Amino acid sequence: MKTIVAVDNNWAIGYKNDLLVKIPNDQKNFRKITSGHVVVLGRRTLEGFPNGLPLVNRTNIILSRNPSFQVRGGIVVRDMDALKEELKKYDTDDIFVIGGESIYKALVPYCDEAFVTKIDYSYQADSYFPNLDKLPEWEMVEEGEEETCFSIEYTFRRYINNSPQRFV
């Protein structure tokens, strides 16, 4: 299982149920990496997508405790046990955890790879991703050249988890 995220200097990922910033090249990179794969996300993350609809060209698995929540074009699971059962149907290398905060916190220990867009700025935020630079099992193995979008500087990084836990 893998994860993909954009974080600021404090590993913040969002504010008031929205991304901190939208960087077109980051969004393009996200589409390139996740297209054709399985994405795991929470209901609130889904609601932040255009028209609140699942991402095209991906299998969307949405975790929601709301028993009446349904979405056309997505698979809804109610808890971690149901998620584990659903994920058994897929190759773990095809699964990407894409947020939000509670989904990341629950599943990042089970991921063996992380694609991180590191934004060189500190935003006002209320949701965070685990700081991989401070977790001993995670190691940054790749960092691209610094890129700029208007005045925002960022890099694409890849981390590996040297001791991922087993989820499925």
Side-chain angles (χ1 to χ4, degrees):
M1 200 160 49
K2 303 172 188 331
T3 188
I4 187 166
V5 67
V7 301
D8 77 353
N9 286 329
N10 299 312
W11 291 80
I13 59 172
Y15 182 64
K16 294 187 177 179
N17 208 31
D18 200 3
L19 296 175
L20 299 172
V21 64
K22 291 178 176 72
I23 301 171
N25 198 33
D26 174 52
Q27 293 174 312
K28 180 180 174 184
N29 187 58
F30 174 89
R31 282 190 303 274
K32 180 180 135 200
I33 289 173
T34 63
S35 186
H37 297 285
V38 176
V39 292
V40 177
L41 60 149
R43 177 189 49 80
R44 287 191 306 257
T45 297
L46 176 69
E47 290 171 351
F49 292 169
N51 300 316
L53 295 174
L55 298 172
V56 297
N57 197 30
R58 297 163 191 88
T59 300
N60 290 251
I61 301 174
I62 302 105
L63 188 60
S64 173
R65 290 184 292 272
N66 179 341
S68 62
F69 178 75
Q70 293 296 321
V71 64
R72 191 177 72 233
I75 300 163
V76 179
V77 295
R78 304 294 173 210
D79 56 36
M80 284 298 170
D81 289 335
L83 178 62
K84 284 180 188 182
E85 280 306 306
E86 183 62 31
L87 291 182
K88 286 179 183 177
K89 300 175 184 175
Y90 308 96
D91 182 330
T92 57
D93 281 342
D94 283 338
I95 301 167
F96 285 84
V97 176
I98 66 167
E101 179 182 40
S102 64
I103 304 298
Y104 282 134
K105 286 186 176 174
L107 296 178
V108 163
Y110 302 100
C111 293
D112 55 21
E113 192 171 8
F115 297 90
V116 177
T117 302
K118 190 72 164 67
I119 302 162
D120 189 17
Y121 192 80
S122 297
Y123 292 91
Q124 180 176 4
D126 59 12
S127 56
Y128 295 83
F129 187 87
N131 183 339
L132 301 184
D133 290 330
K134 291 189 176 181
L135 297 175
E137 65 273 19
W138 285 94
E139 173 187 359
M140 185 175 57
V141 294
E142 198 175 310
E143 182 172 31
E145 294 292 318
E146 185 174 85
E147 299 187 34
T148 305
C149 175
F150 298 103
S151 62
I152 303 167
E153 296 174 345
Y154 62 96
T155 58
F156 294 120
R157 296 179 175 182
R158 190 170 67 87
Y159 290 77
I160 58 169
N161 184 345
N162 291 305
S163 56
Q165 297 176 27
R166 189 160 160 37
F167 190 69
V168 292

